[in-house]
Amino acid sequence: MAQGRGPGGPFSRGFMTEEEKASQPKVTKELLARVFSYLKPYGKSLLLVLVCIAASSFLTLLPSILTGRIIDEGLVKRDLAALVRYILLSLAVTLGANLIGVAESYINTWMAQHITYDMRNQMYGHLQKMSQRFFTTSHQGDVITRMTSDIDGVQQVIANTFTSILSNVITLVIAMIAMFRKNWILAIIGIVIVPLFTLPTRRAGKTRWKYANESQACNDEINGILNETLSVSGQLLSKLFVREKYEYERYEEANGRMIRLNIRESMAGRWFRVILSTFTSIGPMLIYFVGGLLMIRYDQNLTIGDVTVLVTLLSRMYMPVNSLLNIQVDWMRSMALFSRIFDYFDIPVEIENAPDAIIPESVEGNIAFEHVQFGYEPDRLVLKDVSFTLRAGHSVAIVGPSGSGKSTMINLIPRLYDVGGGRVTFDGVDVRSLDLGFLRQQVGVVSQETYLFNGTIRENLRYARPDATEDEMEEALKKANIWDFVQAQPEGLDAMVGNRGLKLSGGEKQRLSIARVLLKNPTIFIFDEATSALDSISEQKIQEAIDPIIQSRTSILIAHRLSTILAADEILVVRDGRIVERGQHRELINVGGVYRELYETQFSKALLPEEDNPSELEQYLWGTQPADEPIEDLP
Ligand code: ATP
């Protein structure tokens, strides 16, 4: 029913937080036009909703007006026929109002849901286009909040706030006209006292709202604790650091605070109801008193029915007045919501297809970096004048200390970021001129942090190629050296990998992710080797998987292990965002620079344990053996 409709959900409280006050958006013509542009496609439904609201607001008030007739025509005149007629009319009108109300709420909900459906799709599509920079700099929680609660809020605004303004205004206007027609003095008393009596209720509401806010903050804190400590990594952390007791006490304290606040809020609500009912009963008494006085002493035409109608109408006015007093806050909050959503829509798409993007007819797979400069932040260069060429079919290993810019270099190839200066080319064409889909299809990345989603092995593989056949998957898994593992699973390809692949070991995850990339069949294979130590069997299995790939495809390897480094045709040594050395293992060892230092401190460790006599391999690696020894022949 339209009458007395209070705005619901996040908009039901008529007060703003300090934070909200500080971040009130400027309600400009542009903002309003933009908000209404979402309603535009639903113009007809909107019109229908307006008509329904007007009709049901009017019909809902009509029985109150008919009460006068029931009393004056039926009861006072003792006319049974008139009594029955007005009672039936009243019932019919109420039924009609309710039926219209049902239709209105259906159309309204339908419209609000469709508008949010449009907005969600638009937002999701927009977020998909956002660059890696956006996702690394924004809080994941923020993104999810925009997608979920903010857009839910919009639905509330459309379904409740807009319609509540309308229904309340219509109800008040009709009630006032009806009151003035009956008696102007009583009407004026009504108009004056209703807002006066709603003020104390606002005060009581404010106290309650304060507690509700505090309890909300406490609830957020509790959710934070739960999220942190009951997550896979969180509970592991607390177990391993024996912090269960500490976490329990932290939870218990917040939980205790929460119930105390809830009790206070609930009691403030109790007082609120006492105040509300006391004040609302004063209004009708005043009308009875003044109405009675007028009837008895001054106005012979004023009937019992009229006074009763006025009292009934008065009681119908409290809710709309109260909610209209909150309208400004609701309105500002709605606008803040819209502008928060629009802020996201307005974030420019950093990396998008060039207007005349090229899709080459043939592909070779040559990659070149030409004087590439890049920084995540404008004032800090991470790559400084990086140049190298990787010819199709060859491979390059990028080595360097942690944080030197290795991963950054490979991020520029599939355009996860765009260069700040210079250019990256694919088959001689600037990657920024190539069709983004085409480019990314050519590049297969096995990253350090393998990301598998919670599904079966089959689903994870098919993410690379939805139409991959069983045979193709088997072949890829065999090449990635993980077929035996899959076969050993009772469910085979249908085995679940767990949340983010947590049911698999680091090595298994990486091999599965190699299989996924193989199914994608990219022209360029990029392998960001895990820095974290894998056991030697896992390492060997990965090595066996990637060696043939390196031999057969253009490959870029961010390498931490000697075996991977040696598999590449050329080694690029990166330090502090520059390529400081390049060449083959032996040459670089002889240079005695960064590479040799890395070799001595990192690469050689795993390979050459406590050997007293230098092995053949060691002699080769250190350059004391003839250089014509081919790398492939190494043990
Ligand atoms: P590692 O071997 O440890 O993976 P790396 O050589 O691959 O290191 P990069 O990941 O390329 O190093 O990082 C190079 C520099 O850029 C580092 O100083 C790092 O802090 C910074 N950096 C990396 N990613 C971002 C990002 N998304 N935003 C801002 N700075 C970043």
Side-chain angles (χ1 to χ4, degrees):
M1 285 226 304
Q3 200 267 336
R5 181 201 308 267
F11 302 99
S12 52
R13 295 169 187 141
F15 315 101
M16 284 174 122
T17 58
E18 292 305 314
E19 206 180 320
E20 280 177 322
K21 276 184 202 155
S23 61
Q24 268 187 46
K26 253 204 187 128
V27 182
T28 58
K29 241 197 249 164
E30 287 74 33
L31 179 63
L32 287 177
R34 211 165 163 185
V35 169
F36 283 100
S37 73
Y38 284 91
L39 296 173
K40 225 177 183 176
Y42 302 95
K44 276 189 197 146
S45 313
L46 186 66
L47 198 69
L48 213 57
V49 168
L50 298 187
V51 172
C52 286
I53 290 177
S56 87
S57 304
F58 174 69
L59 291 182
T60 310
L61 277 185
L62 208 54
S64 307
I65 298 164
L66 285 175
T67 314
R69 296 282 168 94
I70 291 175
I71 294 170
D72 292 338
E73 309 283 324
L75 297 178
V76 176
K77 291 189 181 163
R78 298 174 188 267
D79 179 346
L80 195 57
L83 181 68
V84 172
R85 196 167 56 240
Y86 286 120
I87 287 176
L88 288 180
L89 190 60
S90 247
L91 289 175
V93 163
T94 309
L95 182 68
N98 280 320
L99 290 178
I100 294 174
V102 171
E104 180 262 321
S105 71
Y106 171 73
I107 306 167
N108 197 4
T109 311
W110 183 91
M111 187 176 71
Q113 289 290 348
H114 276 75
I115 291 170
T116 48
Y117 164 86
D118 294 344
M119 259 189 166
R120 275 215 178 93
N121 288 345
Q122 194 189 351
M123 176 81 96
Y124 189 75
H126 185 67
L127 287 175
Q128 272 191 320
K129 287 192 215 140
M130 288 289 103
S131 68
Q132 193 73 356
R133 191 190 306 276
F134 169 82
F135 290 103
T136 47
T137 46
S138 46
H139 281 287
Q140 198 190 354
D142 278 356
V143 179
I144 307 285
T145 307
R146 299 282 153 120
M147 277 300 297
T148 52
S149 25
D150 279 3
I151 299 191
D152 278 345
V154 163
Q155 197 232 313
Q156 295 260 14
V157 170
I158 297 165
N160 294 326
T161 311
F162 285 171
T163 47
S164 103
I165 295 178
L166 195 78
S167 79
N168 289 330
V169 168
I170 293 176
T171 306
L172 281 180
V173 169
I174 297 173
M176 279 195 289
I177 293 175
M179 285 175 93
F180 270 102
R181 279 173 56 112
K182 295 282 172 210
N183 186 289
W184 67 269
I185 299 173
L186 293 178
I188 288 176
I189 292 176
I191 291 163
V192 173
I193 59 173
V194 169
L196 267 185
F197 286 170
T198 48
L199 288 179
T201 66
R202 274 178 70 75
R203 209 182 148 69
K206 198 163 190 169
T207 317
R208 194 170 176 205
W209 182 74
K210 186 174 136 274
Y211 288 132
N213 260 350
E214 284 174 25
S215 116
Q216 182 61 41
C218 190
N219 196 27
D220 289 348
E221 194 183 321
I222 290 180
N223 283 343
I225 297 177
L226 292 178
N227 267 332
E228 249 174 46
T229 56
L230 296 185
S231 66
V232 177
S233 351
Q235 60 83 35
L236 199 64
L237 195 73
S238 77
K239 276 197 178 79
L240 294 179
F241 285 86
V242 203
R243 299 288 276 174
E244 288 106 323
K245 188 164 175 281
Y246 162 78
E247 295 296 4
Y248 180 82
E249 282 165 3
R250 198 156 71 106
Y251 177 73
E252 193 190 31
E253 187 278 322
N255 206 6
R257 206 156 14 104
M258 174 87 177
I259 58 156
R260 284 192 292 280
L261 281 168
N262 283 348
I263 293 171
R264 266 191 230 160
E265 185 194 339
S266 167
M267 283 324 286
R270 190 70 200 86
W271 287 118
F272 171 77
R273 282 198 291 277
V274 171
I275 294 167
L276 188 74
S277 62
T278 313
F279 274 101
T280 43
S281 62
I282 292 175
M285 294 307 145
L286 203 62
I287 299 279
Y288 275 131
F289 175 69
V290 181
L293 195 69
L294 288 173
M295 233 178 88
I296 297 162
R297 291 270 165 89
Y298 306 103
D299 190 347
Q300 298 302 313
N301 292 328
L302 197 64
T303 64
I304 301 171
D306 290 341
V307 176
T308 316
V309 168
L310 285 161
V311 170
T312 323
L313 286 176
L314 185 83
S315 64
R316 295 274 186 161
M317 284 167 73
Y318 283 107
M319 282 264 278
V321 168
N322 204 12
S323 103
L324 283 176
L325 284 174
N326 295 342
I327 279 302
Q328 196 224 349
V329 172
D330 284 343
W331 178 253
M332 287 318 284
R333 216 169 261 167
S334 312
M335 289 301 126
L337 198 60
F338 275 110
S339 54
R340 267 215 307 274
I341 292 169
F342 294 154
D343 279 351
Y344 255 42
F345 281 141
D346 290 342
I347 300 173
V349 177
E350 195 184 326
I351 293 185
E352 56 186 337
N353 248 350
D356 44 2
I358 304 166
I359 302 184
E361 277 173 13
S362 62
V363 175
E364 285 184 43
N366 299 294
I367 291 285
F369 274 54
E370 297 173 8
H371 306 288
V372 168
Q373 309 259 27
F374 175 79
Y376 292 98
E377 289 120 34
D379 50 351
R380 190 180 148 236
L381 277 185
V382 172
L383 296 181
K384 302 157 192 165
D385 196 20
V386 170
S387 296
F388 73 89
T389 307
L390 172 62
R391 278 187 295 123
H394 288 68
S395 54
V396 67
I398 305 174
V399 301
S402 179
S404 55
K406 304 181 292 293
S407 305
T408 307
M409 278 167 73
I410 59 163
N411 284 343
L412 301 179
I413 301 172
R415 286 189 72 198
L416 295 182
Y417 295 91
D418 272 342
V419 294
R423 60 180 201 150
V424 175
T425 64
F426 178 89
D427 283 344
V429 182
D430 191 322
V431 287
R432 287 168 295 186
S433 312
L434 287 170
D435 178 78
L436 206 52
F438 163 83
L439 174 71
R440 290 184 178 160
Q441 199 56 43
Q442 304 311 311
V443 184
V445 183
V446 176
S447 50
Q448 249 191 52
E449 296 266 325
T450 32
Y451 192 92
L452 299 172
F453 55 83
N454 195 358
T456 62
I457 294 178
R458 186 196 307 277
E459 286 163 351
N460 272 286
L461 286 177
R462 284 210 168 131
Y463 199 72
R465 186 135 57 91
D467 59 351
T469 63
E470 298 288 303
D471 287 348
E472 285 166 335
M473 283 190 272
E474 184 180 328
E475 192 190 332
L477 289 165
K478 277 183 179 157
K479 283 188 178 159
N481 228 349
I482 190 154
W483 177 238
D484 290 349
F485 168 82
V486 175
Q487 264 192 323
Q489 302 299 308
E491 301 93 352
L493 277 172
D494 293 314
M496 297 293 287
V497 301
N499 191 7
R500 304 193 70 178
L502 278 172
K503 284 188 183 169
L504 307 180
S505 76
E508 286 154 2
K509 262 194 289 188
Q510 204 159 36
R511 278 181 286 143
L512 195 56
S513 127
I514 293 173
R516 185 168 60 181
V517 162
L518 284 174
L519 271 179
K520 187 181 175 191
N521 195 18
T523 315
I524 298 177
F525 175 70
I526 296 178
F527 183 62
D528 195 346
E529 195 164 60
T531 36
S532 54
L534 293 173
D535 64 78
S536 54
I537 296 177
S538 282
E539 271 186 18
Q540 196 189 335
K541 281 188 173 162
I542 290 175
Q543 200 63 45
E544 282 168 15
I546 62 162
D547 272 346
I549 305 174
I550 299 170
Q551 301 309 323
S552 59
R553 276 171 217 258
T554 317
S555 311
I556 301 178
L557 316 156
I558 297 186
H560 301 284
R561 287 193 292 272
L562 191 58
S563 44
T564 318
I565 298 170
L566 293 179
D569 297 317
E570 194 188 15
I571 301 163
L572 301 179
V573 185
V574 185
R575 190 171 68 177
D576 197 17
R578 286 180 202 281
I579 298 181
V580 286
E581 290 164 21
R582 68 179 78 196
Q584 301 219 321
H585 172 80
R586 281 259 291 269
E587 299 161 14
L588 296 174
I589 287 290
N590 288 334
V591 169
V594 180
Y595 183 78
R596 182 168 179 143
E597 197 183 310
L598 282 168
Y599 173 74
E600 284 171 0
T601 53
Q602 293 176 25
F603 313 146
S604 63
K605 286 233 164 78
L607 196 71
L608 307 167
E610 321 118 11
E611 284 204 19
D612 293 334
N613 299 318
S615 65
E616 210 177 312
L617 172 63
E618 196 178 1
Q619 284 172 25
Y620 168 79
L621 295 171
W622 284 96
T624 50
Q625 220 194 317
D628 53 2
E629 186 93 20
I631 293 173
E632 286 80 3
D633 292 342
L634 287 170

